[in-house]
Amino acid sequence: MNNLNIFEQLIEQAQMRWEDVLQATSVHIQLVFFSMLIAIVLGVTLGILITRVPSLATIVLGGAGIMQTVPSLALLGFMIPIFGIGVNTAIAALFLYSLLPIIRNTYTGIRDVNKATVEAAKGMGMTSWQILIKVELPLSVPMIMAGIRTAAVINVGTATLAAFIGAGGLGDFIFLGITRGIDGLILLGAIPAALLAIILEIFFGSLERWSTPKGLK
């Protein structure tokens, strides 16, 4: 089937299903948002924890790494007995997939803060908690944001697989297009997902640059 026919299919499907596309995009955004929100809170917390308890670093990073090596569909399958079929399972799986870049970058960002700066803060009488809040975290924010950006972009693509467990999202059109052999329908799900990933990449990239202290730019 030539490109013109695929393009015509896309236009035809878009005209027929534009309301469904908007609804699916909304669901897709919600899946990404809630899974990322949980991943950011827990990922940053664990990243901070392993800078304070280095003996846990191998266990935490290794565990998060294992989660990313499990195939997406298999991970969704493992979650079904716990959360059932639907949105909760999709959010749980996406959350686990998003953890590694956030934990790793938080850990690396804090660990790589200039030791002289930390020692100077100690010399000023700051407590460990004050050093973390006022020195280490502000200086490591750009690195943490880079991890969040990576996780978000991965999350958008992985969320298309939520259609296989009835969680909805843009993956519904991709799955339907594959089963019916309609390339235009596949593109109807793939193009908005790609655009969403690009938008998040630009958004978090801008936040990363904005959060970088002037002296580090």
Side-chain angles (χ1 to χ4, degrees), residues 1 4-22 172-174 176-178 180-192:
M1 188 172 291
L4 180 59
N5 286 337
I6 293 175
F7 180 74
E8 289 174 345
Q9 284 182 20
L10 176 61
I11 297 298
E12 179 185 359
Q13 293 296 329
Q15 289 174 340
M16 291 170 50
R17 303 172 182 269
W18 66 271
E19 290 182 344
D20 294 334
V21 173
L22 292 178
D172 280 347
F173 298 106
I174 298 173
L176 192 61
I178 291 173
R180 295 185 179 181
I182 304 175
D183 294 334
L185 201 53
I186 297 174
L187 292 177
L188 196 62
I191 291 176

Side-chain angles (χ1 to χ4, degrees), residues 55-95:
S55 59
L56 294 177
T58 301
I59 297 173
V60 172
L61 290 172
I66 289 172
M67 288 298 101
Q68 280 217 331
T69 62
V70 177
S72 307
L73 283 176
L75 187 59
L76 287 168
F78 293 148
M79 295 291 103
I80 289 175
I82 303 173
F83 298 102
I85 293 176
V87 172
N88 291 339
T89 296
I91 290 176
L94 292 172
F95 149 70

Side-chain angles (χ1 to χ4, degrees), residues 120-127 130-131:
K122 289 180 180 178
M124 293 172 62
M126 287 187 180
T127 64
Q130 289 174 323
I131 292 172

